[in-house]
Amino acid sequence: MSAIRADSPRPYFNLSINNEQDVGHAVREARREAYLAGFDKANIFKLCTIVAELCRNMLYHAGGGEFVIRHIHSGNRSGIEIEALDHGPGIADISMAMQDHFSTRGTLGIGLPAVKRLSDEMHIESEPGKGTVVKALKWL
Ligand SMILES: Nc1ncnc2c1ncn2[C@@H]1O[C@H](COP(=O)(O)OP(=O)(O)O)[C@@H](O)[C@H]1O
Ligand SMILES: [Mg+2]
């Protein structure tokens, strides 16, 4: 399921992430939204990488979740916010999860640190047993 709200111009796009195809769909939507917002090629690529890492994490570590893109405005700045929300097992120690090469699954462990480096602001909230919300923001 996906929907583009009509109450203001293209405020957000959301998508359930349940398989690899959904991750591809999310990345393509992010690429399009970033292009429409006026991001240059390098930053479009960075946003796509953020989306791929966060969506794969939901799929792999939480069994799926919800992905949202928002166009944001603050004063004379505008940008794009990516949100990944799941009801999976949560992250027991967020500061450990943010370390390079830390993984509870024997995988690369570079996804969350990469999201941090590629975004202007990143915020993680997680409660073990309840789920995880990661927000990453990029200004134009
Ligand atoms: N959505 C999530 N739900 C639960 N745990 C997560 C989630 N995203 C990340 N994690 C935890 O954070 C760790 C680091 O994530 P990441 O840097 O993307 O590396 P990797 O996905 O390769 O393990 C993961 O191994 C996992 O323990
Ligand atoms: Mg990962």
Side-chain angles (χ1 to χ4, degrees):
M1 254 298 280
S2 63
I4 294 171
R5 272 232 190 143
D7 52 53
S8 71
R10 307 190 59 77
Y12 77 72
F13 173 90
N14 72 295
L15 182 71
S16 291
I17 303 297
N18 298 304
N19 52 51
E20 237 351 279
Q21 284 69 33
D22 294 336
V23 177
H25 188 177
V27 171
R28 285 191 294 278
E29 289 298 332
R31 185 188 297 137
R32 198 184 68 175
E33 296 300 324
Y35 173 78
L36 291 173
F39 282 96
D40 63 17
K41 262 191 179 172
N43 283 305
I44 291 173
F45 178 78
K46 288 178 187 174
L47 268 161
C48 288
T49 304
I50 291 168
V51 171
E53 291 299 336
L54 294 182
C55 289
R56 287 232 171 78
N57 275 357
M58 290 199 291
L59 202 55
Y60 195 65
H61 299 297
E66 293 294 319
F67 158 77
V68 183
I69 302 174
R70 289 189 191 88
H71 291 268
I72 49 167
H73 305 277
S74 172
N76 57 2
R77 289 196 304 180
S78 61
I80 284 187
E81 182 186 73
I82 304 298
E83 179 174 346
L85 181 155
D86 67 63
H87 299 288
I91 301 175
D93 186 335
I94 293 173
S95 57
M96 286 296 283
M98 291 304 300
Q99 306 279 318
D100 281 320
H101 309 300
F102 174 87
S103 174
T104 52
R105 300 286 301 273
T107 39
L108 287 174
I110 53 175
L112 290 179
V115 171
K116 173 91 180 163
R117 289 184 188 111
L118 295 173
S119 57
D120 292 324
E121 294 170 36
M122 179 193 186
H123 186 69
I124 305 184
E125 269 177 48
S126 188
E127 210 177 316
K130 293 215 168 152
T132 302
V133 184
V134 185
K135 287 187 184 179
L137 191 159
K138 214 158 174 46
W139 296 110
L140 250 182

